[in-house]
Amino acid sequence: MKRVGSAAKVAHAAGLRSHATVLGWGRIPDKHLITLEAATGIPREELRPDLFDGVTVVRAEGEGDGD
């Protein structure tokens, strides 16, 4: 959240109605990873390194570059 700015910004990026939901997260739920990656530019493996430990993420051409 620190890199994005606030719980409200994360909630907005994830399409949630309330920042309180974000404040209750211990970790970002996996169902929001792709959306938050696209909105923030922070790679999913940085958002949830526990899910990607030992895994190489291969992206399609153009994925993750703002297109």
Side-chain angles (χ1 to χ4, degrees), residues 1 10-11 14 16 20-29 31-32 36:
M1 228 180 338
V10 172
L16 302 171
T21 301
V22 173
L23 292 174
W25 291 348
R27 298 180 189 171
I28 297 169
K31 68 181 182 179
H32 294 296
L36 290 175

Side-chain angles (χ1 to χ4, degrees), residues 26-67:
R27 298 180 189 171
I28 297 169
D30 57 345
K31 68 181 182 179
H32 294 296
L33 283 178
I34 306 299
T35 302
L36 290 175
E37 177 184 49
T40 65
I42 302 169
R44 62 193 85 165
E45 58 271 20
E46 288 184 33
L47 294 170
R48 284 291 304 273
D50 59 307
L51 294 178
F52 296 94
D53 186 30
V55 175
T56 301
V57 176
V58 178
R59 290 179 171 75
E61 187 176 326
E63 183 183 4
D65 64 6
D67 288 344

